[in-house]
Amino acid sequence: MDVSDILAALKERALWTEARKIIVRAGLQAGQGWPRTLDRYAGADVPQNEADDLASGLAEHVLSGEKALRFYQLEDGELNALREYATEQVVEVSPFSEAFPCLIDGGGAAGNNESVLCASYDDDDGIFLVYSGIK
């Protein structure tokens, strides 16, 4: 599978030091910096499991990498209402949801400045709603 789009999205979202770890964890070989790594995999066919691992690493970085966080103290009722809201959300098919975790082709032509729900994850750590938009 061609991983050029995944690497391009990773390049836009992560510092090289972090991206290199994601690339290596996926079983791929990182070059010396972005130019050599991108050249190495331009049009290359990599095993599906390695491509999936790279995409998974990118998605994980989108969810938790290099974020500014603010924590809130919530009452039990507020927390339950928030969880209920999150579980009810449905990811509609859109250019954003189809592209996630990669970058969207066409940029500004994809929509207006509003954020769109593009992915939802429910795992042991909680429920994650991922929104995307055009900057």
Side-chain angles (χ1 to χ4, degrees):
M1 176 181 182
D2 182 4
V3 293
S4 299
D5 289 344
I6 302 170
L7 288 170
L10 188 59
K11 180 179 185 279
E12 292 297 318
R13 293 185 168 153
L15 296 172
W16 171 247
T17 54
E18 290 302 312
R20 185 181 187 291
K21 293 174 191 175
I22 294 169
I23 293 166
V24 170
R25 248 183 274 139
L28 301 173
Q29 293 182 352
Q32 293 179 336
W34 278 117
R36 289 191 177 175
T37 301
L38 294 174
D39 287 348
R40 173 177 285 160
Y41 291 104
D45 189 31
V46 301
Q48 186 67 46
N49 65 317
E50 291 177 1
D52 290 345
D53 288 348
L54 184 63
S56 178
L58 172 58
E60 185 177 315
H61 180 77
V62 168
L63 293 175
S64 60
E66 302 171 13
K67 303 289 182 225
L69 299 176
R70 181 178 289 172
F71 293 93
Y72 297 92
Q73 186 71 36
L74 299 176
E75 301 293 327
D76 288 343
E78 295 170 317
L79 187 57
N80 291 335
L82 186 57
R83 284 185 179 130
E84 184 177 331
Y85 171 82
T87 57
E88 292 173 351
Q89 299 309 297
V90 176
V91 178
E92 301 289 335
V93 175
S94 71
F96 299 100
S97 64
E98 290 178 340
F100 184 80
C102 293
L103 300 176
I104 189 167
D105 288 333
N112 56 25
N113 291 332
E114 295 180 19
S115 294
V116 176
L117 181 63
C118 66
S120 176
Y121 294 95
D122 188 354
D123 65 17
D124 294 337
D125 292 325
I127 303 168
F128 297 89
L129 299 177
V130 181
Y131 289 82
S132 184
I134 303 297
K135 290 199 254 183

